[in-house]
Amino acid sequence: MRAFVVTGPRAYEVQDLPKPVAAPGEVVVDVERVGVCGTDVELFTGDMAYLHQGLTAYPLRPGHEWAGRVASVGPGVDAGWLGRRVMGDTMLGCGTCHRCARGRQHLCEQRDELGVRGPRPGALAEQVAVPATSLHTLPASVDATLGALAEPGGNALRAAQAAVRDQGERVLILGPGTIGLLTAMFARSLGADVHLMGATQSSLDFAGSLGFEHLWQQDALPDLPFDAVVDASTATQLPDLALDLVEPGGRVVYIGLAPEPSRIDTRTLALKDTTAVGVLSASPALDATIAAYADGSVDPRPLVRATVGLERVGAVLAGERRAGAGPGPKTHVDPCLIAT
């Protein structure tokens, strides 16, 4: 099979590799679609913290936002999975520690993260082997594009749920990238009055095309009471700004990760009686995300600006935006798409 492999910082190959064989407890999936995200970019550039912490190493195969169809099952796996359309949880816990026992495998200290942390190759290939326990079934109304958006969507849904407590609450989201826009979509579906703050007019214009009306750059942000503020950016200074902007008694949600440590003033946190929530992983919200996509209450497909083959992944990771691509922030990969 063909697979995209990062061999070193900014070095890559599309390789011909043996097809995976399902080990006990595993399935092999024919991959239909894979999303490219900021984590993959950091693995490509060499900036990813896991590389420096010894938690992953080159050569590596990224790809943790995926959808496909089960092609084979290993020993001990129900044959009913065969032919089923699925996506999979990125976070693969050890299954035995106290966190896994409490259903928090995404926080397992010994976890693998498919294509990100540990030895498991990711889904940027024609096939991928994953534990059957990580699978989530996709209904017929959830196509491959939506299926590959379930993982980022689950992160965003958790952020929206942490931010929105009641209908009509005013929620400000910092950073209209993929996660920020997904969070805005879920917050809107929960009844929030959604505002977005972005650094560029083009990103705000795209948010406007999705039906969001309250769009601001920082220097024009109105003096309004925000019941919750979600930092979905990678800007080092915005976590502290989020705390400054939120109403006393409100909530700040941190889902964006800056490349360098950011700071907040905990005196402000205490004196404003603010609740701060951090979000790591889609795991607890994958089923709810798939259900929202299935019933049409959230449709993030406009976020995908282009779908490319494996041969174009390196250029995408290096920052290429191809002529003719749409205005959205997300690129998808079809591993079976052959370059012409």
Side-chain angles (χ1 to χ4, degrees):
M1 68 170 187
R2 297 185 313 136
F4 178 85
V5 179
V6 182
T7 56
R10 299 186 180 275
Y12 63 93
E13 298 174 353
V14 177
Q15 299 180 354
D16 290 318
L17 300 176
K19 291 184 176 182
V21 176
E26 291 185 346
V27 304
V28 171
V29 176
D30 289 331
V31 180
E32 296 176 350
R33 205 61 47 87
V34 189
V36 176
C37 85
T39 298
D40 302 319
V41 173
E42 290 187 352
L43 289 168
F44 175 75
T45 61
D47 295 330
M48 177 64 180
Y50 287 165
L51 288 164
H52 306 286
Q53 295 165 351
L55 296 172
T56 194
Y58 299 118
L60 58 87
R61 191 171 84 211
H64 61 279
E65 304 174 2
W66 62 269
R69 190 179 296 273
V70 177
S72 64
V73 301
V77 177
D78 185 350
W81 282 109
L82 282 170
R84 195 177 299 182
R85 296 183 58 254
V86 295
M87 62 79 59
D89 195 343
T90 298
M91 303 300 208
L92 309 175
C94 71
T96 58
C97 70
H98 72 285
R99 296 175 191 170
C100 288
R102 295 177 180 178
R104 297 176 179 172
Q105 84 283 348
H106 63 292
L107 300 176
C108 172
E109 189 173 359
Q110 303 302 320
R111 71 184 180 274
D112 286 341
E113 299 177 20
L114 187 80
V116 178
R117 166 176 160 157
R120 280 191 175 271
L124 277 172
E126 293 176 325
Q127 289 190 322
V128 65
V130 296
T133 53
S134 72
L135 298 178
H136 294 257
T137 299
L138 299 177
S141 57
V142 176
D143 61 17
T145 299
L146 288 172
L149 286 164
E151 197 278 342
N155 281 278
L157 175 54
R158 292 187 64 208
Q161 290 171 332
V164 181
R165 288 290 180 265
D166 295 303
Q167 293 268 333
E169 287 190 317
R170 185 180 289 115
V171 175
L172 174 65
I173 297 166
L174 310 180
T178 297
I179 294 297
L181 291 170
L182 282 165
T183 302
M185 289 178 171
F186 279 109
R188 179 170 60 187
S189 76
L190 295 172
D193 175 26
V194 176
H195 293 240
L196 285 147
M197 190 187 89
T200 66
Q201 191 58 48
S202 60
S203 67
L204 294 174
D205 289 344
F206 178 67
S209 75
L210 301 174
F212 296 104
E213 298 178 359
H214 307 304
L215 307 169
W216 315 104
Q217 294 195 31
Q218 184 173 342
D219 59 1
L221 192 66
D223 184 16
L224 292 171
F226 294 107
D227 299 294
V229 180
V230 180
D231 175 26
S233 77
T234 58
T236 306
Q237 75 278 10
L238 289 190
D240 193 49
L241 179 64
L243 184 56
D244 286 340
L245 292 172
V246 74
E247 271 287 279
R251 297 165 299 281
V252 289
V253 182
Y254 295 113
I255 190 170
L257 291 175
E260 298 178 358
S262 53
R263 299 284 186 265
I264 63 171
D265 189 338
T266 56
R267 295 170 299 181
T268 304
L269 186 73
L271 292 171
K272 293 181 77 170
D273 199 18
T274 299
T275 299
V277 179
V279 175
L280 171 71
S281 170
S283 302
L286 286 172
D287 287 334
T289 300
I290 293 167
Y293 292 173
D295 67 22
S297 56
V298 173
D299 183 0
R301 283 174 289 192
L303 301 186
V304 178
R305 66 188 179 204
T307 300
V308 302
L310 291 171
E311 289 80 6
R312 301 304 309 168
V313 174
V316 170
L317 292 172
E320 176 190 81
R321 191 179 186 106
R322 298 185 72 183
K330 174 67 75 173
T331 296
H332 271 183
V333 180
D334 178 351
C336 295
L337 186 63
I338 304 297
T340 56

